[in-house]
């Protein structure tokens, strides 16, 4: 059996849903990449008794490694390290070298905030005393240097326990240091080495994919050696497959099956996102956006990648009819004849964006995101799209998208990206 691990996410704010858990999914993905079987992810509040109960539960499940996140700060409710020390049967000791490192970090932070010296309003000794708690570590633990002010620790044993901070910006870079420690490497020594590949599809319902996978189960020898997970994300189907290296030929048959049955819907077999592909296709070009119902979300998605300033010229959010007329040059007669949510208006918006920004590529969206505003002819979820290139190429579509207002707007950005990909992709 492969090495097994459990994750304990601490924090009352996460438990109650006020803060979304980002650490559990991140750590789960990292462990799977390492070939470590994930047994459980648990979430509990900041109470020591509850944290200890999660640790005992996971140890009782026979995991080799426990990873905790959260509860490493200087305040009274930050109790994870003390609880882990008690669970592991180790005393808490003051690490003076760590205390000095934390002091250096605090001095830098105070200088950055304009507090030049302890002679000012802030008493540095009091600040240091308040943070001394973070330098208390279990005896024999390996210290992971702070990314913020809180260090992490790795406590060897059976199971080995890795204690990481709660903020994802601190936890994520610290994780790689934790994995490199001798204690963690020993704990996961029995892991199975897997490969993980991702296929992405667009325009296929989940039921269609399920039917193809059932066929694969019948036709492909060794299909049961593939661990397949499917997920509908932003209107796309994501098929993640884990397998041992000697099952590579089985996975290749699966990819061939998906391609043969759904040649138009499979758009990525190397894990790349449509966003990555559109960014590559826009190299040497300039793009402008004209958005109504998505209100800048397509432009935001296009500019989410570093270096997008090389090809994104700009965008117009034209929510009102008057804005469409004034900013994009849409003919009022088109609006009167067809309404704002119509293919002729979407095409005029794209043409207006091309002209206004001097771009060679444009994409436009106009629709009814809801919950109100729909009609029998144009129900909520109706969205018109148009992509226009300077050479005269034009692609226009009208779709009825499912979900609430947020779903319709987000799915619209995905449709826009795929229409761009189709228009820009060489045959």
């Amino acid at each position: 059996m492969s090495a097994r691990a459990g994750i304990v996410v601490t924090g009352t704010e996460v438990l109650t849903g006020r803060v979304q858990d980002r650490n559990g999914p991140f750590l789960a993905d990292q462990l799977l990449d390492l070939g470590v079987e994930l047994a459980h992810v648990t979430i509990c509040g900041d109470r020591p008794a509850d944290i200890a109960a999660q640790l005992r539960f996971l140890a009782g499940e026979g995991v080799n490694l426990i990873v905790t996140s959260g509860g490493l700060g200087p305040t009274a409710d930050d109790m994870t390290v003390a609880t882990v020390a008690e669970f592991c049967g180790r005393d808490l000791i003051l690490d003076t070298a760590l205390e000095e490192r934390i002091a250096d970090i605090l001095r830098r932070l105070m200088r950055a905030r304009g507090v030049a010296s302890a002679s000012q309003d802030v008493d540095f000794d009091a600040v240091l005393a308040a943070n001394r708690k973070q330098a208390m570590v279990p005896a024999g633990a390996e210290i992971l240097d702070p990314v913020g002010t809180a260090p992490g620790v790795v406590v060897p044993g059976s199971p080995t326990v890795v204690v990481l901070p709660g903020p994802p910006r601190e936890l994520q870079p610290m994780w790689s240091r934790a994995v490199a420690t001798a204690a963690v490497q020993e704990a996961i020594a029995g892991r199975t080495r897997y490969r993980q590949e991702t296929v992405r599809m667009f325009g296929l319902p989940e039921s269609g994919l399920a039917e193809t996978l059932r066929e694969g189960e019948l036709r492909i020898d060794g299909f049961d050696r593939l661990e397949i997970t499917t997920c509908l994300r932003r209107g796309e189907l994501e098929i993640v497959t884990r397998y041992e290296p000697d099952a590579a030929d089985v996975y290749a048959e699966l990819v061939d099956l998906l391609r043969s049955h759904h040649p138009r819907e499979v758009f990525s077999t190397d894990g790349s996102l449509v966003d990555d592909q559109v960014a590559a296709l826009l190299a040497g070009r300039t793009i402008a956006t004209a958005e109504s119902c998505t209100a800048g979300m397509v432009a935001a998605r296009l500019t989410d990648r570093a270096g997008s300033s090389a090809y994104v010229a700009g965008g117009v959010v034209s929510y009102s009819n008057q804005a469409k007329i004034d900013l994009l040059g849409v003919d009022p007669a088109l609006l009167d004849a067809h309404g704002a949510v119509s293919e002729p208006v979407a095409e005029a918006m794209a043409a207006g964006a091309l002209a206004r920004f001097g771009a060679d590529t444009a994409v436009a969206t106009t629709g009814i995101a809801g919950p109100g505003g729909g009609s029998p002819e144009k129900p909520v979820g109706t969205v018109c799209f148009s992509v226009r290139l300077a050479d005269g190429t034009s692609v226009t579509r009208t779709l009825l998208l499912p979900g609430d207002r947020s779903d319709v707007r987000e799915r619209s950005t995905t449709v826009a990206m795929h229409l761009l990909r189709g228009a820009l992709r060489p045959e």
Side-chain angles (χ1 to χ4, degrees):
M1 180 178 290
S2 178
R4 301 173 75 237
I7 298 169
V8 181
V9 178
T10 71
T12 302
E13 69 283 1
V14 181
L15 180 66
T16 58
R18 293 198 306 274
V19 173
Q20 182 180 5
D21 173 31
R22 292 170 54 196
N23 293 333
F26 169 80
L27 291 168
D29 192 55
Q30 294 295 305
L31 288 165
L32 288 172
D33 281 348
L34 288 170
V36 177
E37 294 293 341
L38 181 60
H40 299 277
V41 179
T42 69
I43 300 176
C44 67
D46 294 306
R47 295 173 292 274
D50 293 339
I51 298 172
Q54 305 309 308
L55 296 171
R56 290 194 299 271
F57 165 71
L58 291 173
E61 291 291 293
V63 301
N64 308 96
L65 178 70
I66 298 175
V67 185
T68 75
S69 74
L72 304 191
T75 59
D77 63 345
D78 292 317
M79 299 294 295
T80 304
V81 171
T83 305
V84 167
E86 183 177 355
F87 169 76
C88 295
R90 297 174 183 250
D91 293 330
L92 272 181
I93 61 173
L94 177 65
D95 188 303
T96 55
L98 176 59
E99 183 181 27
E100 186 54 38
R101 289 203 293 278
I102 293 172
D104 288 340
I105 293 169
L106 292 170
R107 290 188 189 98
R108 290 198 299 272
L109 289 173
M110 291 172 69
R111 284 195 296 269
R113 293 170 183 169
V115 182
S117 70
S119 64
Q120 291 181 273
D121 294 339
V122 176
D123 182 344
F124 181 75
D125 288 336
V127 173
L128 184 59
N131 283 270
R132 182 165 291 124
K133 175 184 177 182
Q134 295 181 107
M136 300 293 293
V137 297
E142 185 164 349
I143 297 166
L144 304 171
D145 284 341
V147 175
T149 61
V153 295
V154 178
V155 187
S158 182
T160 290
V161 182
V162 177
V163 184
L164 300 174
R169 67 180 182 279
E170 298 180 23
L171 177 144
Q172 292 180 11
M174 198 178 286
W175 168 248
S176 59
R177 303 177 199 168
V179 172
T181 63
V184 171
Q185 286 296 311
E186 183 177 349
I188 65 175
R191 69 190 186 276
T192 301
R193 302 282 185 172
Y194 288 102
R195 290 182 183 174
Q196 181 168 297
E197 305 287 352
T198 302
V199 173
R200 302 186 193 278
M201 306 175 73
F202 178 72
L204 179 71
E206 288 182 278
S207 58
L209 174 62
E211 184 177 344
T212 301
L213 292 178
R214 282 194 294 270
E215 182 179 335
E217 191 173 4
L218 296 172
R219 287 180 47 185
I220 299 175
D221 187 33
F223 187 86
D224 58 352
R225 300 186 64 194
L226 305 178
E227 182 182 311
I228 302 171
T229 304
T230 64
C231 177
L232 183 63
R233 194 189 307 275
R234 276 181 161 180
E236 297 171 346
L237 282 172
E238 180 182 86
I239 305 102
V240 178
T241 306
R242 286 204 314 157
Y243 57 91
E244 294 182 41
D246 60 357
D249 57 337
V250 182
Y251 178 70
E253 287 189 60
L254 171 64
V255 174
D256 288 343
L257 181 69
L258 292 172
R259 279 178 163 157
S260 65
H261 280 48
H262 311 290
R264 294 174 59 86
E265 290 80 10
V266 173
F267 71 90
S268 170
T269 58
D270 61 1
S272 62
L273 301 169
V274 67
D275 305 57
D276 302 319
Q277 296 177 6
V278 168
L281 290 166
L282 285 170
R285 306 183 70 98
T286 55
I287 185 170
T289 61
E291 303 180 61
S292 184
C293 63
T294 49
M297 293 172 67
V298 175
R301 191 157 168 179
L302 285 167
T303 56
D304 195 45
R305 287 198 169 23
S308 57
S309 58
Y311 50 83
V312 176
V316 171
V317 175
S318 52
Y319 230 61
S320 70
N321 284 356
Q322 197 60 49
K324 293 176 177 66
I325 295 167
D326 294 343
L327 299 177
L328 295 170
V330 175
D331 187 342
L334 282 178
L335 291 162
D336 292 339
H338 303 282
V341 180
S342 63
E343 292 189 357
V345 168
E347 290 171 346
M349 289 170 65
L354 272 185
R356 186 170 188 88
F357 291 97
D360 56 41
T361 308
V363 58
T365 63
T366 178
I368 306 165
S375 68
E377 296 78 21
K378 297 177 183 179
V380 169
T382 301
V383 184
C384 301
F385 305 86
S386 185
V387 172
R388 189 176 184 88
L389 308 184
D391 64 8
T393 301
S394 181
V395 180
T396 303
R397 297 283 186 276
T398 298
L399 297 176
L400 182 60
L401 301 177
D404 60 16
R405 181 179 182 83
S406 177
D407 293 330
V408 169
R409 283 153 55 92
E410 186 172 47
R411 285 173 184 264
S412 293
T413 69
T414 298
V415 173
M417 295 298 281
H418 280 277
L419 290 176
L420 275 169
R421 174 181 175 273
L424 294 169
R425 185 180 51 187
E427 292 299 331

